[in-house]
Amino acid sequence: YARRHVGKEKTFCPTSNNTSARGDEDVVYYLHQPSQYTASQAMTSKPLVIGLIGTGKMSSGQGRLFSSHGFSTFIGSRDQSKAMALAAELGNGACGGSHLEAILASDIIFLNLHPGEMTNAFLESHRASLAGKMLVEIAASYYYPAQFHPPSPHCSSLTWDKQLLNDESVSWATTFKSMGADSIGNNVQQPIEVCGDERTKKAIIQILSACGWEPLDCGGVDDAPLLEPKGPKRRKHPRIEEWDAEHGLHKEHR
């Protein structure tokens, strides 16, 4: 392993020739094995880098899942030492650094942050750097006290965050709303709801399918309230109801 320097910040990242650019609707992403594609496909493809903001249980679980299935993963934290430690623990080429480094290195970014003030501060601090990115909002706001719930008229933290950032170049989606970190990290494959803007939703479906999960397309950003566990407009996808009947209650906790 090597430490590379970006400005004055140190980043933990295995030596790699992979580079990342901003997402584009016409770009086809691949994992670590571009040799599986034809020459023409490789010319219009690039490695998909997944950014995970935060070093808690959700980032740890997602990091284990994604990195073990060949996806390049970059952990970002306010405390770079924690991000670097988690990256080293994950192995599989995972990198760790600051929030800004994770944003710049990644194509799609999972916001594993508390809803409300913490997420809002992150979006405001990195507004310019987030332009053109794919963002995934995963906070189950209604599991938290009332002060963390989306303000009226929102019934979803996804619509709340998207309105706050107010950047048409950013593509948003949500998933993992009803999933615990252990189920994710242990790759307990099952149906999982996804909704949001088309570009990010498609990328999430690609990622989850590659990991052996069953992503369920639940519509656009305006459908996000249906995915909010314990939210006032929650409505399970019929496939989730079917899973519950066959395997027991689909656990809606984090």
Side-chain angles (χ1 to χ4, degrees), residues 115-117 144-150 160:
E117 184 177 342
Y144 293 87
Q147 64 264 32
F148 295 99
H149 295 180
W160 181 19

Side-chain angles (χ1 to χ4, degrees), residues 168-209:
E168 291 299 322
S169 75
V170 176
S171 177
W172 287 86
T174 189
T175 192
F176 288 143
K177 285 283 189 176
S178 61
M179 202 60 50
D182 289 342
S183 294
I184 297 170
N186 294 327
N187 196 19
V188 182
Q189 298 170 349
Q190 56 192 285
I192 184 70
E193 297 160 313
V194 185
C195 77
D197 294 324
E198 200 65 22
R199 180 161 62 103
T200 303
K201 182 174 65 175
K202 285 182 177 180
I204 294 173
I205 289 173
Q206 174 192 359
I207 292 166
L208 293 176
S209 297

Side-chain angles (χ1 to χ4, degrees), residues 91-130:
N92 295 314
C95 301
S98 68
H99 281 166
L100 179 59
E101 289 179 308
I103 292 168
L104 296 178
S106 303
D107 302 292
I108 184 168
I109 301 165
F110 285 71
L111 304 179
N112 296 317
L113 300 169
H114 282 242
E117 184 177 342
M118 181 180 291
T119 298
N120 295 352
F122 173 84
L123 295 176
E124 290 289 359
S125 296
H126 300 288
R127 178 178 293 276
S129 301
L130 291 170

